[in-house]
Amino acid sequence: MPLMSFTLLTIFPEMFPGPLGHSLAGRALAEGIWGLDVLNIRDFATDKHHTVDDRPFGGGAGMVMRADVLDAALTAARAGKEGERLLYMSPRGRPLTQKAVKSLVNYKNLTILCGRFEGVDERLLEAHGAEEVSIGDYVLSGGELAALVLIDACIRLLPGVIGEPLALEEESFGDAGEYAGLLEYPLYTRPAEWNGRKVPEVLLSGNHEEIRRWRLEEARRITQERREDLWERYKAVKKT
Ligand code: SAH
C-alpha cells in the first residue's frame, strides 16, 4: 500500500506523472511508496464533443468548467476512499507553504482538481467541500503544474523517498533546530578553489562548533537581506 495516493482530475492526463516520473520521485513511484491515478474529465462529459466548459453566467471573458461534468468525475474519483481530502488548485486558495505541505502529508488519499479556462463553477466547489490551494501569487494557465508542485513537495517528505531524512531538518522553511524560520546558508563543494574563488576558510577548518556558528550567522544574514517577512517572524519567535 502506498503511503500517499493522489487522484488527479484534468483534461490533460498525459501531463502526469511528467517530471515526477523521474529522479527520486520517479523511483519512489515505481517502488509503490506513493501512488498516482489520473482521470480525464472529458470522459465524464455526456455530449458527443466531450464538452467540459461553457460561457460564464453574467457575461465576461473565457469559459467556466461545468459543475455537472466535474461532479460526475469527482464522484467516481472519490468513491470508497476513507479519510480522503479534495483540493482544488486555484490562485484564490490558501498559500502552499512548507507547513501546509507537512499537514497534507498526514492524508493517505488526496484528490486534486486541476482547473483550466477561467476556473470552475462555484457550486461544484461548495457541494464537494473542496479546499482551494494556491502555489503563489501569479496566474498559471492550468492547475496541472500547480498540482505537480504540490505533489513533489509532499512526496519528498515520505520516508524512503529522500536518501537522508536528516537533510530535511536543516532546509529552508524547516521548523526544527536552530535554523528554524531561516533560509539556508550557502553551500560549497570541491574544488576548494575555483576560478580564483575560495571556499570560506572556516568550512575547511574541521572545527564543528565554528562551522555551526558561521552557518547560523549566514542563514540569518541571508534571511534578513532577502525576506523581511521571514526575518520579522524569526525575531518574534526568538524573543518568546
Ligand atoms: N480566472 C482565475 C484564474 C484561472 S487560471 C482567477 O482569476 O483567479 C486557470 C486555472 O489554473 C485555475 O482554475 C487553477 O486551477 C490554475 N491556477 C492558476 N494559477 C494558479 C495558482 N497560482 N495556484 C494554483 N492553481 C492555479
Side-chain angles (χ1 to χ4, degrees), residues 65 88-92 113-120 133-144 146:
M65 294 181 103
Y88 167 50
M89 305 314 298
S90 152
R92 303 190 310 194
L113 174 59
C114 303
R116 281 273 156 181
F117 316 110
E118 287 309 314
V120 313
V133 180
S134 166
I135 67 158
D137 290 345
Y138 39 80
V139 181
L140 303 168
S141 45
E144 290 79 8

Coordinates of all heavy atoms in Angstrom, one line a residue, residues 65 88-92 113-120 133-144 146, ligand 1:
M65 N -15.6 25.8 -16.2 CA -15.8 24.3 -16.2 C -17.1 24.0 -15.5 O -17.5 24.5 -14.5 CB -14.7 23.6 -15.5 CG -13.4 23.8 -16.3 SD -12.0 22.9 -15.5 CE -11.9 21.5 -16.5
Y88 N -8.6 21.9 -4.7 CA -8.8 22.5 -6.0 C -7.6 23.5 -6.1 O -7.5 24.4 -5.3 CB -10.1 23.2 -6.1 CG -10.2 24.1 -7.3 CD1 -9.9 23.7 -8.6 CD2 -10.7 25.4 -7.1 CE1 -10.0 24.6 -9.7 CE2 -10.8 26.3 -8.2 CZ -10.4 25.9 -9.5 OH -10.5 26.7 -10.5
M89 N -6.7 23.3 -7.1 CA -5.6 24.2 -7.3 C -6.2 25.5 -7.9 O -6.9 25.5 -8.9 CB -4.6 23.6 -8.3 CG -4.1 22.2 -8.0 SD -3.6 22.0 -6.3 CE -2.3 23.2 -6.1
S90 N -5.9 26.6 -7.2 CA -6.5 27.9 -7.5 C -5.8 29.1 -7.0 O -5.3 29.0 -5.8 CB -8.0 27.9 -6.9 OG -8.4 29.2 -6.7
P91 N -5.6 30.2 -7.8 CA -4.9 31.3 -7.2 C -5.6 32.0 -6.0 O -5.0 32.8 -5.3 CB -4.8 32.3 -8.4 CG -5.7 31.7 -9.5 CD -6.0 30.3 -9.1
R92 N -6.9 31.6 -5.8 CA -7.6 32.2 -4.7 C -7.4 31.4 -3.4 O -7.9 31.7 -2.4 CB -9.1 32.1 -4.9 CG -9.6 32.8 -6.2 CD -11.1 32.8 -6.1 NE -11.7 31.5 -5.8 CZ -13.0 31.2 -6.0 NH1 -13.9 32.2 -6.5 NH2 -13.5 30.1 -5.7
L113 N -8.2 18.5 -8.1 CA -8.9 19.0 -9.3 C -8.0 20.1 -9.9 O -7.7 21.1 -9.3 CB -10.2 19.6 -8.9 CG -11.1 20.3 -9.9 CD1 -11.3 19.3 -11.1 CD2 -12.4 20.8 -9.4
C114 N -7.7 19.9 -11.2 CA -6.9 20.9 -11.9 C -7.8 21.7 -12.8 O -8.4 21.1 -13.7 CB -5.8 20.2 -12.8 SG -4.7 19.1 -11.9
G115 N -7.9 23.0 -12.6 CA -8.8 23.8 -13.4 C -8.1 24.2 -14.7 O -6.9 24.1 -14.8
R116 N -8.9 24.6 -15.6 CA -8.5 25.2 -16.9 C -9.5 26.3 -17.2 O -10.4 26.6 -16.5 CB -8.5 24.2 -18.0 CG -7.3 23.3 -18.0 CD -6.2 23.9 -18.8 NE -4.9 23.4 -18.3 CZ -3.7 23.7 -18.8 NH1 -3.7 24.6 -19.8 NH2 -2.6 23.3 -18.4
F117 N -9.2 27.1 -18.3 CA -10.1 28.2 -18.7 C -10.1 29.2 -17.5 O -9.1 29.5 -16.9 CB -11.5 27.7 -19.0 CG -11.5 26.5 -19.9 CD1 -11.9 25.2 -19.4 CD2 -11.0 26.5 -21.2 CE1 -11.9 24.1 -20.1 CE2 -11.0 25.3 -22.0 CZ -11.4 24.1 -21.4
E118 N -11.3 29.8 -17.2 CA -11.3 30.8 -16.2 C -11.4 30.2 -14.8 O -11.3 30.9 -13.7 CB -12.5 31.8 -16.4 CG -12.3 32.8 -17.5 CD -11.0 33.5 -17.4 OE1 -10.6 34.0 -16.3 OE2 -10.3 33.6 -18.4
G119 N -11.8 28.9 -14.7 CA -11.9 28.2 -13.4 C -13.1 27.3 -13.5 O -13.6 27.0 -14.6
V120 N -13.7 27.0 -12.3 CA -14.8 26.0 -12.2 C -16.0 26.7 -11.6 O -15.9 27.6 -10.8 CB -14.4 24.7 -11.5 CG1 -13.0 24.2 -12.0 CG2 -14.3 24.9 -10.0
V133 N -6.2 25.6 -3.0 CA -4.8 25.7 -2.6 C -4.1 26.5 -3.8 O -4.2 26.1 -4.9 CB -4.1 24.4 -2.4 CG1 -2.6 24.5 -2.1 CG2 -4.8 23.6 -1.3
S134 N -3.3 27.5 -3.4 CA -2.6 28.3 -4.4 C -1.1 28.0 -4.2 O -0.6 27.9 -3.1 CB -2.8 29.8 -4.1 OG -1.9 30.6 -4.8
I135 N -0.4 28.0 -5.3 CA 1.1 27.8 -5.2 C 1.8 29.2 -5.3 O 3.1 29.2 -5.2 CB 1.7 26.8 -6.2 CG1 1.6 27.3 -7.6 CG2 1.1 25.4 -6.0 CD1 2.6 26.6 -8.5
G136 N 1.1 30.3 -5.4 CA 1.8 31.6 -5.3 C 0.9 32.6 -6.0 O -0.1 32.3 -6.7
D137 N 1.3 33.9 -5.8 CA 0.5 35.0 -6.2 C 0.8 35.3 -7.7 O 1.4 36.4 -8.0 CB 0.7 36.2 -5.3 CG 0.1 36.0 -4.0 OD1 -0.7 35.1 -3.8 OD2 0.4 36.8 -3.1
Y138 N 0.5 34.4 -8.6 CA 0.6 34.6 -10.0 C -0.4 33.7 -10.6 O -0.9 32.8 -10.0 CB 2.0 34.3 -10.5 CG 2.6 33.1 -9.8 CD1 2.3 31.8 -10.2 CD2 3.5 33.2 -8.7 CE1 2.8 30.7 -9.6 CE2 4.0 32.1 -8.1 CZ 3.6 30.9 -8.5 OH 4.1 29.8 -7.8
V139 N -0.7 33.9 -11.9 CA -1.7 33.1 -12.6 C -1.1 32.2 -13.6 O -0.5 32.6 -14.5 CB -2.8 34.0 -13.2 CG1 -3.9 33.1 -13.8 CG2 -3.4 34.9 -12.1
L140 N -1.4 30.9 -13.4 CA -1.0 29.9 -14.4 C -2.1 29.6 -15.4 O -3.2 30.0 -15.1 CB -0.7 28.5 -13.7 CG 0.4 28.6 -12.6 CD1 0.4 27.3 -11.7 CD2 1.8 28.9 -13.1
S141 N -1.8 28.9 -16.5 CA -2.9 28.7 -17.4 C -3.7 27.4 -17.1 O -4.7 27.1 -17.7 CB -2.3 28.6 -18.9 OG -1.1 27.8 -18.9
G142 N -3.2 26.7 -16.1 CA -4.0 25.5 -15.7 C -3.4 25.0 -14.4 O -2.3 25.3 -13.9
G143 N -4.2 24.1 -13.7 CA -3.9 23.6 -12.4 C -2.8 22.5 -12.4 O -2.4 22.1 -11.3
E144 N -2.5 21.9 -13.6 CA -1.7 20.8 -13.6 C -0.3 21.0 -13.1 O 0.3 20.2 -12.3 CB -1.6 20.2 -15.1 CG -2.8 19.6 -15.6 CD -3.9 20.6 -16.1 OE1 -3.6 21.8 -16.1 OE2 -5.0 20.2 -16.4
A146 N 0.6 23.3 -11.0 CA 0.5 23.6 -9.6 C 0.3 22.3 -8.8 O 0.9 22.1 -7.8 CB -0.8 24.5 -9.4
Ligands
SAH1 N1 -9.7 33.3 -13.5 C1 -8.9 32.7 -12.5 C2 -7.6 32.2 -13.0 C3 -7.8 30.9 -13.9 S1 -6.3 30.2 -14.3 C4 -8.6 33.8 -11.4 O1 -8.5 35.0 -11.8 O2 -8.4 33.5 -10.2 C5 -6.8 28.6 -14.8 C6 -6.6 27.5 -13.7 O3 -5.2 27.4 -13.4 C7 -7.3 27.7 -12.4 O4 -8.6 27.2 -12.4 C8 -6.4 26.9 -11.5 O5 -6.7 25.5 -11.4 C9 -5.0 27.0 -12.1 N2 -4.1 28.0 -11.4 C10 -3.8 29.2 -11.9 N3 -2.9 29.9 -11.1 C11 -2.8 29.1 -10.0 C12 -2.0 29.3 -8.8 N4 -1.3 30.3 -8.5 N5 -2.1 28.2 -7.9 C13 -2.8 27.1 -8.2 N6 -3.5 26.9 -9.3 C14 -3.5 27.9 -10.2

